[in-house]
Amino acid sequence: MTDTWLESLQTPSAQAGYDLAVTLARRAIREIQPEAGVRAHLRETYARDADALIASSAVVATHFQTIAAANHYWREN
Amino acid sequence: MTDTWLESLQTPSAQAGYDLAVTLARRAIREIQPEAGVRAHLRETYARDADALIASSAVVATHFQTIAAANHYWREN
Amino acid sequence: MTDTWLESLQTPSAQAGYDLAVTLARRAIREIQPEAGVRAHLRETYARDADALIASSAVVATHFQTIAAANHYWREN
Amino acid sequence: MTDTWLESLQTPSAQAGYDLAVTLARRAIREIQPEAGVRAHLRETYARDADALIASSAVVATHFQTIAAANHYWREN
Amino acid sequence: MTDTWLESLQTPSAQAGYDLAVTLARRAIREIQPEAGVRAHLRETYARDADALIASSAVVATHFQTIAAANHYWREN
Amino acid sequence: MTDTWLESLQTPSAQAGYDLAVTLARRAIREIQPEAGVRAHLRETYARDADALIASSAVVATHFQTIAAANHYWREN
């Protein structure tokens, strides 16, 4: 049995959509590197590396684009 | 005869769509480097390299965008 | 309680949309590196590094694409 | 008072749209590095660095995609 | 006379679309580096370099996105 | 007077669209580095550098996506 971590791309607000984009960006790293200890160690390094932070921000941007489209850009809100 | 590894972009849920995105991201690496042994060796290295993990996450993000559009963002679910 | 930093993707003009894209690009960095001091230190370095500046510009471009679509490209203005 | 540097994404031609994409790509660099002197110095270096030039071209490509969509790909012209 | 290497973006299946994406990704490299010998030599190196493989996978992902849209995501199949 | 180098995004075929994508990718490099001699020198190097070739292929992929959309993916052909 796999646990459910992604129910839907629909979010109540743009900001919640952005948070979900961060979650989606992190998830791929977890799929490739399942050991939490290794990830925590890597995180200490890349959270102090400008290039890695910018590259992470790029991944968030792509996911946010997907989520924003899924929510019709929260235009009605 | 080639074996079928991709039947459809339709998935029952967003999470299954994300899993398919991971599969699509990995597949290109297999097409370029067909030797499983070499890939396993590379994987050991890049699964401990933050830059490679973030770059992989970017590829997953692009594929997820495609799959999400293919599934109308699972809006009816 | 989380504070609200993103109310909407709607902006009165294309230029305001561009400014919002810069905000969205920066936000992911803040999510991953919450310490303002560390960010300020990194910023001094990457603001003088052409590769980092170009990579940042790429993130802004992706967010601007999302925001432009959200605003129907400000076509009526 | 901020000065206006982006009036509209509408351009009379595809070529003018491409020029605007170059402007948008450069603008983010200016937002992050406001000192013209530093930018001029960096530019001397990266204009002779193939990797930086290709990365810049990627940013232009993303902005051009946005601008082309905004102009319905100049199909009527 | 130039030879025809790309007839159409329409493919009978998603998997065939993925194969075409790999072809499109490779083609640009051929356009820039026309000498087959040099390409074969480079290929030996980058097929053993995780960063290059991931970057190649990113190019395939972008082309696959285009081809999937061209085929309405093979939804009827 | 500027010379016209981009008349339209419409092309008679997908292959011609791909060629145009290569042109658009190269153009940004010319805008940033106007000296033909410097570009020729850089080209000799990056045409033998796998990372640069793959990065160039990524730029072509983004432009091809734009051009394909502009041509409704050449579906009628």
Side-chain angles (χ1 to χ4, degrees):
Chain A
M1 214 186 81
T2 358
D3 72 318
T4 301
W5 61 271
L6 177 59
E7 293 279 3
S8 162
L9 296 184
Q10 262 63 52
T11 65
S13 67
Q15 186 170 324
Y18 194 90
D19 291 343
L20 179 56
V22 174
T23 301
L24 291 180
R26 282 184 175 146
R27 184 74 197 190
I29 289 168
R30 185 170 162 171
E31 301 266 341
I32 301 166
Q33 177 46 267
E35 288 178 49
V38 178
R39 289 200 310 271
H41 177 76
L42 289 172
R43 199 182 156 86
E44 260 177 67
T45 314
Y46 80 71
R48 291 174 181 278
D49 173 354
D51 292 340
L53 286 170
I54 296 166
S56 300
S57 185
V59 184
V60 171
T62 301
H63 280 305
F64 184 65
Q65 190 165 70
T66 305
I67 294 164
N71 287 278
H72 298 298
Y73 305 97
W74 303 277
R75 276 193 198 111
E76 270 65 54
N77 287 7
Chain B
M1 213 185 82
T2 358
D3 72 318
T4 301
W5 62 271
L6 178 59
E7 293 279 2
S8 163
L9 295 184
Q10 262 64 52
T11 65
S13 67
Q15 186 170 323
Y18 194 90
D19 291 342
L20 180 55
V22 174
T23 301
L24 291 180
R26 283 184 176 145
R27 184 75 197 189
I29 289 169
R30 186 171 161 170
E31 300 267 341
I32 301 166
Q33 177 47 266
E35 287 178 49
V38 177
R39 289 200 310 271
H41 177 75
L42 289 171
R43 198 182 157 85
E44 259 176 66
T45 314
Y46 80 71
R48 289 175 181 278
D49 173 354
D51 292 340
L53 287 169
I54 296 166
S56 300
S57 185
V59 184
V60 171
T62 302
H63 281 305
F64 184 65
Q65 190 165 70
T66 305
I67 294 164
N71 287 277
H72 298 299
Y73 305 97
W74 302 278
R75 275 192 198 113
E76 269 64 55
N77 286 7
Chain C
M1 213 185 82
T2 356
D3 73 316
T4 301
W5 61 271
L6 177 59
E7 292 279 3
S8 162
L9 296 184
Q10 262 63 52
T11 66
S13 68
Q15 186 171 323
Y18 195 91
D19 291 343
L20 179 56
V22 174
T23 301
L24 291 180
R26 282 185 176 143
R27 184 74 197 190
I29 289 167
R30 185 170 162 172
E31 300 267 342
I32 302 166
Q33 178 47 266
E35 287 178 49
V38 178
R39 288 200 311 271
H41 177 76
L42 289 172
R43 198 181 156 85
E44 259 177 68
T45 314
Y46 81 71
R48 290 174 181 278
D49 173 353
D51 292 340
L53 286 169
I54 296 166
S56 300
S57 185
V59 184
V60 171
T62 300
H63 280 305
F64 184 65
Q65 190 165 70
T66 305
I67 294 165
N71 287 278
H72 299 297
Y73 305 98
W74 304 277
R75 275 193 198 111
E76 269 65 54
N77 286 7
Chain D
M1 213 185 81
T2 356
D3 73 316
T4 301
W5 62 272
L6 177 59
E7 292 280 2
S8 162
L9 296 184
Q10 261 64 52
T11 66
S13 68
Q15 187 170 323
Y18 194 91
D19 291 343
L20 179 56
V22 174
T23 301
L24 292 180
R26 282 184 176 144
R27 184 74 197 191
I29 289 168
R30 186 170 162 171
E31 300 266 343
I32 302 166
Q33 178 48 265
E35 287 177 50
V38 178
R39 288 200 312 271
H41 177 76
L42 288 172
R43 198 182 155 85
E44 259 178 67
T45 314
Y46 80 72
R48 290 174 181 277
D49 173 354
D51 292 340
L53 286 169
I54 296 166
S56 300
S57 185
V59 184
V60 171
T62 301
H63 280 306
F64 184 65
Q65 190 165 70
T66 305
I67 294 164
N71 287 277
H72 298 298
Y73 305 98
W74 303 278
R75 275 193 200 112
E76 268 65 55
N77 285 7
Chain E
M1 213 185 80
T2 358
D3 72 317
T4 301
W5 62 272
L6 178 58
E7 293 279 2
S8 164
L9 295 184
Q10 262 64 50
T11 65
S13 67
Q15 187 170 322
Y18 194 90
D19 291 343
L20 180 56
V22 174
T23 301
L24 291 179
R26 283 183 176 144
R27 184 75 197 189
I29 289 169
R30 186 171 161 170
E31 300 268 341
I32 301 165
Q33 177 47 266
E35 287 178 50
V38 177
R39 288 201 310 272
H41 177 76
L42 287 172
R43 198 182 157 85
E44 259 177 66
T45 314
Y46 80 72
R48 290 175 181 278
D49 172 355
D51 291 341
L53 286 169
I54 296 166
S56 299
S57 185
V59 184
V60 171
T62 301
H63 280 306
F64 184 65
Q65 189 165 71
T66 306
I67 294 164
N71 287 277
H72 297 298
Y73 305 97
W74 302 278
R75 274 192 199 113
E76 269 65 54
N77 286 7
Chain F
M1 212 185 80
T2 357
D3 72 317
T4 301
W5 62 272
L6 178 59
E7 292 279 3
S8 163
L9 296 184
Q10 262 64 52
T11 65
S13 67
Q15 187 170 323
Y18 195 90
D19 291 343
L20 179 56
V22 174
T23 301
L24 291 180
R26 283 185 176 142
R27 184 75 197 190
I29 288 169
R30 187 172 161 170
E31 300 267 342
I32 301 166
Q33 177 48 264
E35 288 177 49
V38 177
R39 289 200 310 271
H41 177 75
L42 288 172
R43 198 182 155 85
E44 259 177 67
T45 314
Y46 80 72
R48 291 174 181 278
D49 173 355
D51 292 341
L53 286 169
I54 296 166
S56 300
S57 185
V59 184
V60 171
T62 301
H63 280 305
F64 184 65
Q65 190 166 71
T66 306
I67 295 164
N71 287 277
H72 298 298
Y73 306 96
W74 302 278
R75 274 193 200 112
E76 268 67 54
N77 284 7

